[in-house]
Amino acid sequence: MGSAVALTVLAVAFAAFVHTTAMHRRQVELAEMKRGAALVLGQLGAELRQAGLGRPRHAHAEGGGALFPPTFLVAQETQLAFLTDLPRRDSNFNGHSQLADDQSTGLPANGIALLNELNGGCDISSATGHCSSTGESLLFPPDAGLDDCASSAASPTCPWGLNRYQGNEYLIVANAKGNWVERQLHSSLHAEVSGGRRTLVLADSLPADFLSGPNRGFVSTPDRVYYGLDAGGVRRKQCWGSIFSPGSSSTFDLSCSDLFAPNATGWEVLTTGVAGLRFSYWSASGTLLPVPVTDAADLRGIRRVDIELDLERELPDGETLSHSASLSITLRQ
C-alpha cells in the first residue's frame, strides 16, 4: 500500500516537473522571439528614420542636370531598399558634414573645408589666433588631452577623424542651392595648404563657382540599405561607393552586391523563424500605395512605412509559438 502511494506521489511530482519544464521552455522561447523582433524593428526603424539623409534635392551640376535618385530604390511587400548616410563597418560615423562658409580663402581648387561634431564650428587652420578643434569639438571635452587638428592631422578632432572619411572613397558634394556633384577623395585624403588651412582633398576639382560665396551646403556618402524576407529569415545588406556606372558621370548604378566586398556587407541574417514580413507604403496625402511601388513619382512620394513582423517557433511537444510586432515610421524627407 505504501509503495503504491509513493509511486503515485512520484508520478504526480514528475508530471509537475515536466509541466514546469515545458512552461519554462515556452517562456524562454517566447522571450527570445520578442527580443529578436525588438532588435530587428529597432534597427530597421532607426535606419528608416534616417532615410534620405545626405540626399541632395536638386539637379546634378554636371551630366545633364539629372535629379538625384529617389530615397526608395525598392518598395515591395517583403523587401525594401533606401538611400541614407550610415556608419560603415570600418567607421565610427557617417559621412554627412556641413561645408564651412569659406571655401575659397587659401584653399586649392580641389580642397573643401568641413564642419561636423568632431571639430564643431572650427574651420581648421594653424593661423595665429585661430580657433582650436579641441576647444570646439562637440564630441570631446577640451580637457580630453587630444591634439588640435591644426597641429596633428591624425587627431580625432579633425573632421575626417575616426575613419569618418577614407582616401579614394566617393563623396556627394551639394551646394546651398541643393545642386550636387560626385567626387572621389584623393588617396592622401587631406593636406595643409598655404596660409595654414587644413582641408579635405578631392581627386578632381569642383566646377567653377560651385561653392562661391557663403554657403550652407554639405557632403555625404550615401549608402544603399536593403532589408528583406528570405527562407524564413529577415536579412539586411549595405553597400556604398560611386552612384554612377564605371566611367560614366550620368548613368546611375545603385546595384548592391549580395556578397561581402570592399564596398558591401553582403546579406546578413538578423533573425530566423520568420513567418511573415510585410511593408506598406503611404504617400504624403495618406494614400496607401499598391505594392510593388515602381513608378518614380510614387517612390519619391513615399512618406510613411508600416512594418509587420510575424515570428513562429515549434516546441518539442508540437506546440507552435507565435509572436507578432509592428512599427510605423514617418520619414524625414
Side-chain angles (χ1 to χ4, degrees):
M1 181 69 177
S3 297
V5 172
L7 288 173
T8 301
V9 171
L10 184 61
V12 171
F14 181 74
F17 171 76
V18 170
H19 177 72
T20 301
T21 301
M23 290 299 295
H24 176 71
R25 172 73 177 268
R26 187 179 188 280
Q27 293 303 315
V28 169
E29 295 286 355
L30 186 58
E32 288 184 358
M33 292 169 65
K34 291 181 177 180
R35 182 165 55 248
L39 289 173
V40 169
L41 293 183
Q43 180 175 349
L44 176 52
E47 293 183 350
L48 263 179
R49 288 185 180 95
Q50 299 180 72
L53 176 65
R55 175 181 167 270
R57 303 300 183 193
H58 296 293
H60 188 200
E62 300 168 323
L67 291 177
F68 205 81
T71 294
F72 281 89
L73 307 175
V74 176
Q76 301 174 358
E77 183 175 14
T78 60
Q79 184 179 84
L80 59 72
F82 54 92
L83 291 171
T84 187
D85 199 338
L86 296 177
R88 300 165 189 173
R89 58 175 178 247
D90 55 357
S91 176
N92 295 276
F93 296 93
N94 64 22
H96 193 273
S97 295
Q98 179 182 323
L99 290 167
D101 277 345
D102 186 357
Q103 295 292 329
S104 57
T105 307
L107 288 185
N110 66 334
I112 50 175
L114 304 181
L115 305 175
N116 53 45
E117 62 266 54
L118 297 176
N119 61 322
C122 185
D123 184 355
I124 307 301
S125 174
S126 59
T128 302
H130 200 71
C131 61
S132 166
S133 63
T134 56
E136 297 202 21
S137 174
L138 303 178
L139 188 64
F140 300 104
D143 58 358
L146 301 174
D147 292 327
D148 178 24
C149 182
S151 59
S152 173
S155 171
T157 64
C158 291
W160 50 81
L162 302 177
N163 285 333
R164 188 171 200 135
Y165 303 106
Q166 299 180 28
N168 298 316
E169 77 170 320
Y170 287 88
L171 293 180
I172 298 299
V173 185
N175 62 20
K177 298 177 181 178
N179 297 326
W180 60 278
V181 295
E182 180 184 80
R183 285 295 184 269
Q184 190 173 18
L185 285 170
H186 195 280
S187 58
S188 62
L189 187 60
H190 52 78
E192 184 172 3
V193 296
S194 176
R197 295 188 74 181
R198 198 179 291 275
T199 173
L200 208 63
V201 180
L202 306 173
D204 297 295
S205 301
L206 296 170
D209 299 326
F210 183 72
L211 297 179
S212 60
N215 73 86
R216 288 292 185 271
F218 64 87
V219 303
S220 63
T221 55
D223 302 90
R224 286 85 87 178
V225 181
Y226 284 71
Y227 281 86
L229 175 64
D230 182 71
V234 175
R235 58 181 188 168
R236 174 193 182 274
K237 65 178 178 177
Q238 177 181 345
C239 298
W240 51 93
S242 175
I243 63 170
F244 293 113
S245 299
S248 173
S249 61
S250 59
T251 302
F252 294 116
D253 180 3
L254 297 170
S255 58
C256 185
S257 173
D258 290 345
L259 304 176
F260 182 92
N263 66 336
T265 63
W267 283 115
E268 301 171 320
V269 177
L270 303 182
T271 192
T272 57
V274 180
L277 174 67
R278 292 172 298 280
F279 297 111
S280 301
Y281 308 92
W282 301 80
S283 69
S285 64
T287 301
L288 177 64
L289 301 173
V291 290
V293 183
T294 56
D295 180 76
D298 287 341
L299 286 170
R300 291 184 183 277
I302 294 173
R303 291 296 180 270
R304 194 182 93 205
V305 179
D306 292 346
I307 310 159
E308 298 175 80
L309 178 63
D310 300 319
L311 301 180
E312 288 186 353
R313 189 167 297 181
E314 187 173 343
L315 299 179
D317 62 3
E319 180 186 3
T320 299
L321 285 180
S322 61
H323 173 68
S324 297
S326 61
L327 186 65
S328 182
I329 301 295
T330 300
L331 304 176
R332 54 176 288 131
Q333 61 177 3

